[in-house]
């Protein structure tokens, strides 16, 4: 740290996805970084001197200079494993940029702010990704030549190695939340019921997908089989949306029915699970934001009908308890033998093994 300036060299570990046009210089943006960093610093050091605008918004008095990226942005491939955004034409297109290392400088005449930046910037980067799809690992930056410090995360951190983090996260997240069902020409190439179903069953709960099927697609339900379909209890809960509220879904195999969920006090809720990628290692944890939607009732509709099913999230839920259950599932019994030769099974087996060993 020199007079008025704090400088870091950063390494970008995963692409950042943004809405900027395909142009030179598009990279990590100060307009996104500063508001996030201001909020983070004020949580860590509440007595920092602030500026307050006419709307009462608080900000810190420092400027940021980010070394531009001279490489040209690459348009997102719609087949990218974890990207599900609008891939329409024009301004809705999203681009990703990959810049290995670059410098970032902070300027402030206030020594207390300089000291806070110096002390907490690594902590901030450890807890934060940038751009679109940031909870799934995109936009991961860290201090160059530094190892990730799990102690900077105020939650239990899980980790595993990966040479294809996008595919590994997609497989793991699907396994945890909604299950995996990959079709083939002859039927099904790979199938696994979701960990959240098995966890719900261990609690004596019926998960939301079964409850929705029973209410709106009972004719199809009667022709289906398997544990996830057949298990039923008197306690029905909305569980998958604890991973992030999906206010509208299209059930393609149910005549493309649109399933909508409504609670007048909750419009959006992003996933509490954050994936942070550094080099060939994936770290992840769940923050406490999901607690804001516990014990909340949602009206669920199928299509444009007036009838609605009411389902509530459970009164109590703990992601670390869920993770403990999930990563102790016996995959050999959980997934049918016919699918054990598939790559998804090998991915899950490897992740489970490494998570157990990293305790």
């Amino acid at each position: 740290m020199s007079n008025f300036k704090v400088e870091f060299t950063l390494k970008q570990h995963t692409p950042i996805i943004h809405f900027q046009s395909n142009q030179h210089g598009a990279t990590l943006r100060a307009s996104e970084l500063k508001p996030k960093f201001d909020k983070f610093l004020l949580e860590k050091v509440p007595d920092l001197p602030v500026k307050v605008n006419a709307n009462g918004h608080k900000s810190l008095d420092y400027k940021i200079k980010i070394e531009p990226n001279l490489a040209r942005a690459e348009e997102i491939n719609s087949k990218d494993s974890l990207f599900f955004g609008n891939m329409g034409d024009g301004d809705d297109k999203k681009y990703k940029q990959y810049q290995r290392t670059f410098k970032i400088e902070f300027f402030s005449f206030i020594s207390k702010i300089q000291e806070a930046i110096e002390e907490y910037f690594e902590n901030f980067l450890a807890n934060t990704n940038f751009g679109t799809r940031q909870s799934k690992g995109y936009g991961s930056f860290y201090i160059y030549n530094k190892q990730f410090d799990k102690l900077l995360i105020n939650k239990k951190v899980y980790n595993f190695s990966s040479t294809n983090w996008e595919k590994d996260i997609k497989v793991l997240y699907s396994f945890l939340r909604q299950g995996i069902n990959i079709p083939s020409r002859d039927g099904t190439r790979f199938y696994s019921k979701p960990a959240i179903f098995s966890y719900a069953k261990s609690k004596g709960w019926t998960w939301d997908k079964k409850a929705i099927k029973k209410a709106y697609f009972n004719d199809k339900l009667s022709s289906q089989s398997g544990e996830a379909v057949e298990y039923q209890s008197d306690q029905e809960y909305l569980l998958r949306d604890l991973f992030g509220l999906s206010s509208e879904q299209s059930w393609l195999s149910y005549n493309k029915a649109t399933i909508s969920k409504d609670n007048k006090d909750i419009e959006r809720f992003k996933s509490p699970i954050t994936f942070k990628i550094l080099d060939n290692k994936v770290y992840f944890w769940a923050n406490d934001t999901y607690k804001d939607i516990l014990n909340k009732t949602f009206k669920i509709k199928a299509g444009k009908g007036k009838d609605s099913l009411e389902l509530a999230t459970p009164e109590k839920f703990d992601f670390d308890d869920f993770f403990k259950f999930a990563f102790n599932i016996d995959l050999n019994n959980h997934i049918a033998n016919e699918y054990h030769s598939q790559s998804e099974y090998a991915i899950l087996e490897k992740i489970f093994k490494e998570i157990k060993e990293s305790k």
Side-chain angles (χ1 to χ4, degrees):
M1 182 172 72
S2 62
N3 287 341
F4 315 126
K5 183 173 76 171
V6 184
E7 181 180 286
F8 300 92
T9 299
L10 301 189
K11 179 177 179 180
Q12 181 173 351
H13 291 269
T14 61
I16 186 170
I17 302 171
H18 55 78
F19 292 89
Q20 289 172 290
S21 60
N22 187 2
Q23 61 185 9
H24 291 296
T27 182
L28 180 63
R29 294 171 295 174
S31 59
E32 180 184 6
L33 187 152
K34 190 175 187 302
K36 288 183 174 182
F37 194 27
D38 280 5
K39 181 180 178 182
F40 189 88
L41 286 175
L42 287 170
E43 289 173 352
K44 297 294 184 182
V45 192
D47 62 345
L48 285 174
V50 298
K51 298 187 297 182
V52 183
N53 67 14
N55 296 321
H57 176 74
K58 295 179 180 180
S59 64
L60 296 174
D61 190 5
Y62 63 88
K63 296 185 181 300
I64 302 173
K65 180 182 177 182
I66 300 174
E67 184 178 32
N69 184 0
L70 299 180
R72 197 162 182 82
E74 173 191 353
E75 186 178 334
I76 276 288
N77 183 340
S78 62
K79 294 182 181 179
D80 277 8
S81 297
L82 290 172
F83 188 74
F84 308 110
N86 184 344
M87 291 307 302
D89 292 328
D91 293 338
D92 286 336
K93 284 186 178 179
K94 299 178 177 72
Y95 296 84
K96 63 181 179 182
Q97 187 61 264
Y98 201 84
Q99 180 180 337
R100 297 299 293 179
T101 61
F102 61 97
K103 293 187 184 303
I104 181 169
E105 297 175 347
F106 297 87
F107 298 89
S108 179
F109 293 111
I110 303 170
S111 60
K112 192 167 184 178
I113 291 179
Q114 292 181 51
E115 291 164 4
I117 291 170
E118 180 81 17
E119 182 175 356
Y120 289 108
F121 189 55
E122 181 184 357
N123 193 322
F124 169 69
L125 291 177
N127 283 274
T128 310
N129 291 327
F130 300 89
T132 301
R133 303 296 290 171
Q134 55 193 259
S135 67
K136 297 301 184 292
Y138 289 103
S140 177
F141 298 80
Y142 207 66
I143 307 296
Y144 180 58
N145 272 345
K146 289 205 75 170
Q147 296 293 315
F148 185 75
D149 186 355
K150 294 200 291 186
L151 295 178
L152 296 176
I153 309 301
N154 191 29
K155 294 293 171 187
K156 180 173 174 57
V157 179
Y158 307 82
N159 61 268
F160 58 91
S161 61
S162 176
T163 56
N164 187 343
W165 63 271
E166 289 174 299
K167 182 174 183 179
D168 289 353
I169 291 175
K170 182 181 180 182
V171 170
L172 174 61
Y173 196 81
S174 297
F175 172 82
L176 294 173
R177 183 184 184 273
Q178 70 263 21
I180 306 172
N181 191 347
I182 303 175
S184 68
R185 289 184 179 181
D186 302 322
T188 302
R189 183 178 71 74
F190 184 82
Y191 173 79
S192 171
K193 55 183 174 287
I196 192 63
F197 159 76
S198 299
Y199 181 74
K201 184 180 177 183
S202 75
K203 298 284 188 182
W205 301 342
T206 296
W207 73 318
D208 45 288
K209 190 170 185 180
K210 168 67 181 291
I212 295 170
K213 284 183 179 181
K214 189 175 67 171
Y216 296 114
F217 309 107
N218 202 43
D219 54 335
K220 286 184 174 287
L221 189 62
S222 61
S223 64
Q224 297 176 349
S225 60
E227 185 183 17
V229 172
E230 295 166 359
Y231 178 75
Q232 178 67 43
S233 77
D234 294 332
Q235 298 183 77
E236 298 178 338
Y237 287 116
L238 193 62
L239 295 169
R240 290 178 298 168
D241 290 277
L242 295 175
F243 292 77
L245 178 61
S246 177
S247 59
E248 194 169 282
Q249 293 176 311
S250 180
W251 287 27
L252 299 179
S253 57
Y254 292 81
N255 299 320
K256 298 183 179 179
T258 298
I259 306 297
S260 61
K261 300 164 192 162
D262 178 65
N263 179 300
K264 64 180 182 179
D265 298 320
I266 303 171
E267 292 185 6
R268 300 183 65 184
F269 169 67
K270 72 175 187 177
S271 175
I273 302 174
T274 295
F275 289 90
K276 186 77 179 177
I277 292 85
L278 269 77
D279 296 321
N280 292 322
K281 186 154 282 192
V282 176
Y283 302 87
F284 67 96
W285 60 90
N287 61 42
D288 288 335
T289 56
Y290 69 94
K291 294 181 179 179
D292 293 337
I293 68 165
L294 292 180
N295 201 26
K296 304 292 185 184
T297 299
F298 290 78
K299 290 184 178 181
I300 300 173
K301 292 185 178 182
K304 297 181 180 179
K306 294 183 179 179
D307 294 337
S308 65
L309 166 71
E310 290 195 348
L311 277 182
T313 51
E315 184 177 349
K316 294 181 180 180
F317 186 89
D318 182 83
F319 260 101
D320 285 323
D321 185 62
F322 166 66
F323 286 148
K324 181 179 179 180
F325 174 92
F327 296 125
N328 280 288
I329 287 175
D330 182 354
L331 293 175
N332 188 57
N333 292 323
H334 187 83
I335 299 172
N337 289 337
E338 62 190 287
Y339 305 123
H340 288 188
S341 61
Q342 298 299 318
S343 62
E344 290 76 14
Y345 185 85
I347 288 171
L348 290 170
E349 197 172 41
K350 175 182 176 296
I351 290 173
F352 275 43
K353 181 176 183 292
E354 292 192 19
I355 286 176
K356 290 176 182 177
E357 290 176 348
S358 67
K359 289 181 179 179

